Amino acid sequence: AGIINFCANNYLGLSSHPEVIRAAVEALEKFGAGLSSVRFICGTQSIHKDLEEKIARFHQREDAILYASCFDANAGIFEALLTPEDAVLSDELNHASIIDGIRLCKANKYRYKHMDMQDLEAKLKEAQKHRLRLVATDGAFSMDGDIAPLREICQLAQKYDALVFIDECHATGFLGPNGRGTDELLGVMDKVTIINSTLGKALGGAAGGYTTGPKPLIDLLRQRSRPYLFSNSLPPAVVGCASKALDLLMESNAIAQSMAAKTQRFRSKMTAAGFTISGKDHPICPVMLGDARLASVMAEDMLNRGIYVIGFSYPVVPKGKARIRVQISAVHSDEDIDRCVEAFTEVGRKHGAL
Ligand code: PLP
């Protein structure tokens, strides 16, 4: 009772939005609990096709394909797209699902230093000998709340004839003027070829993932992508949630703007209180503490004050870079944000972090 959640990926608060919940109930009643089938046998209903069309429209891409999760979308894309003659260049801090997806493919693998454009350029030069090059990066990195330099990445990709893939799990729905994501924020929507993202965070928080991009790529994935071919189709209630979440976001960007204003409030008040917050303008606000034990006892004490946050330490983040990762949501009120800052200030003083 009275505990405020500051550690969910529910950036826009849509998981408790009455219209999202109603859409799920309606889909459940009209289309059933589930299809007991993969998509290409008898697992495709009109709502699956409609959601794929809506996702493509939202991202201004040609087509989209649904998966049970973004983990699956990442696991399925590299193997289907790349051959042993090709190369994939991956940021060293990419999400585990991208790393696993790359492991499954037979392309030549290059890992560049986190957001280091000199290193990426060196690797792109080295990779010129291959048939095709794909640069893969998270749009926003979830541990630090930092945003990939997509403009520079796209310039290098153009110079060295490479395709760009971004994972937008921590960007879809709220980054950029219309919440389209990192590519919109940085003005490169026409330069990023492939987007993978999740329905399990800002877009209602239920489950599901997708790839959106050129139609021939989506056609190829429907033929070859193993998590799509060999895993059950998304349940109607889950499709209903995501579909309604996208409708709400395409009608207005007010929810995303309210979240951005609250992020700004939290970041500036915490900085003024003396804390170091990693990243910039992103609702992932890592409160950097350094020491693993400090992060863990402070998180415990925050809970005693009604603020639910979690400490992250090695091996989830590098040694000596322990932190409490706060995530801001549109459902937080200004009073909630202020209560969180006050609790951090008290707890920080008590444990010598300030
Ligand atoms: N990619 C990133 C960057 C993520 O943060 C996550 C979720 O933690 C995923 C992919 C996997 O998404 P899903 O939960 O839809 O499998």
Side-chain angles (χ1 to χ4, degrees):
I3 291 173
I4 310 170
N5 188 347
F6 275 95
C7 54
N9 300 307
N10 185 21
Y11 298 112
L12 299 176
L14 295 182
S15 64
S16 53
H17 194 290
E19 284 187 51
V20 172
I21 294 170
R22 198 173 329 118
V25 172
E26 280 169 15
L28 183 64
E29 284 174 354
K30 188 162 173 204
F31 293 92
L35 301 184
S36 309
S37 171
V38 300
R39 284 287 299 279
F40 79 93
I41 303 180
C42 58
T44 298
Q45 294 169 313
S46 55
I47 47 172
H48 296 93
K49 298 303 294 174
D50 291 349
L51 179 56
E52 286 172 338
E53 182 276 320
K54 208 175 276 185
I55 288 168
R57 190 152 38 89
F58 180 78
H59 285 285
Q60 297 173 25
R61 298 308 202 270
E62 287 174 13
D63 203 355
I65 177 172
L66 286 170
Y67 287 87
S69 66
C70 186
F71 203 109
D72 278 355
N74 287 343
I77 191 160
F78 301 102
E79 193 207 10
L81 180 64
L82 303 173
T83 72
E85 289 167 42
D86 303 323
V88 55
L89 301 97
S90 173
D91 186 295
E92 65 180 348
L93 293 191
N94 275 343
H95 188 259
S97 53
I98 299 179
I99 295 170
D100 285 7
I102 290 174
R103 276 186 189 147
L104 289 170
C105 82
K106 295 199 172 70
N108 299 277
K109 292 150 194 151
Y110 296 82
R111 200 166 63 149
Y112 63 91
K113 290 193 194 111
H114 182 48
M115 304 207 309
D116 183 330
M117 293 301 98
Q118 268 183 355
D119 196 33
L120 174 59
E121 181 157 20
K123 302 272 154 58
L124 275 165
K125 279 183 186 157
E126 230 182 299
Q128 285 305 293
K129 54 185 180 263
H130 305 298
R131 188 188 66 142
L132 183 153
R133 284 150 296 283
L134 178 69
V135 180
T137 180
D138 280 10
F141 290 84
S142 64
M143 283 303 138
D144 290 311
D146 49 356
I147 292 169
L150 280 190
R151 254 183 240 133
E152 292 77 2
I153 290 176
C154 289
Q155 272 164 11
L156 285 175
Q158 210 161 358
K159 185 167 170 192
Y160 293 98
D161 193 20
L163 300 173
V164 177
F165 160 98
I166 56 176
D167 174 323
E168 287 282 88
C169 284
H170 295 279
T172 300
F174 57 89
L175 283 191
N178 301 297
R180 293 327 189 241
T182 318
D183 58 340
E184 188 195 27
L185 179 74
L186 298 175
V188 289
M189 283 182 91
D190 56 341
K191 302 212 163 53
V192 169
T193 311
I194 308 167
I195 295 175
N196 276 9
S197 193
T198 185
L199 304 173
K201 299 192 196 299
L203 300 185
Y210 58 84
T211 297
T212 184
K215 185 163 184 335
L217 168 73
I218 304 302
D219 291 344
L220 178 86
L221 294 173
R222 283 197 208 284
Q223 297 298 322
R224 295 238 198 104
S225 181
R226 292 166 72 83
Y228 176 84
L229 287 170
F230 299 113
S231 188
N232 225 20
S233 156
L234 273 186
V238 169
V239 175
C241 285
S243 187
K244 178 53 76 178
L246 284 168
D247 287 344
L248 292 172
L249 297 181
M250 287 197 272
E251 269 163 31
S252 151
N253 64 358
I255 306 176
Q257 279 181 350
S258 123
M259 190 272 299
K262 284 158 192 166
T263 299
Q264 168 61 22
R265 186 181 184 95
F266 180 79
R267 282 181 170 271
S268 60
K269 288 198 166 197
M270 284 292 281
T271 307
F275 286 103
T276 302
I277 312 295
S278 173
K280 190 173 159 279
D281 298 333
H282 195 281
I284 292 174
C285 305
V287 182
M288 302 307 286
L289 297 166
D291 181 65
R293 198 176 138 64
L294 177 65
S296 139
V297 292
M298 275 185 64
E300 236 174 81
D301 241 0
M302 290 292 287
L303 189 58
N304 295 333
R305 285 167 172 75
I307 304 291
Y308 186 18
V309 285
I310 296 287
F312 287 66
S313 52
Y314 182 79
V316 179
V317 294
K319 272 191 184 138
K321 294 219 167 154
R323 69 208 54 190
I324 290 177
R325 187 178 72 172
V326 172
Q327 287 170 285
I328 305 298
S329 167
V331 282
H332 292 137
S333 63
D334 284 350
E335 292 71 36
D336 293 339
I337 303 280
D338 295 351
R339 209 177 123 192
C340 184
V341 176
E342 276 159 32
F344 261 113
T345 311
E346 274 172 39
V347 169
R349 283 202 187 115
K350 177 177 158 192
H351 294 284
L354 282 179

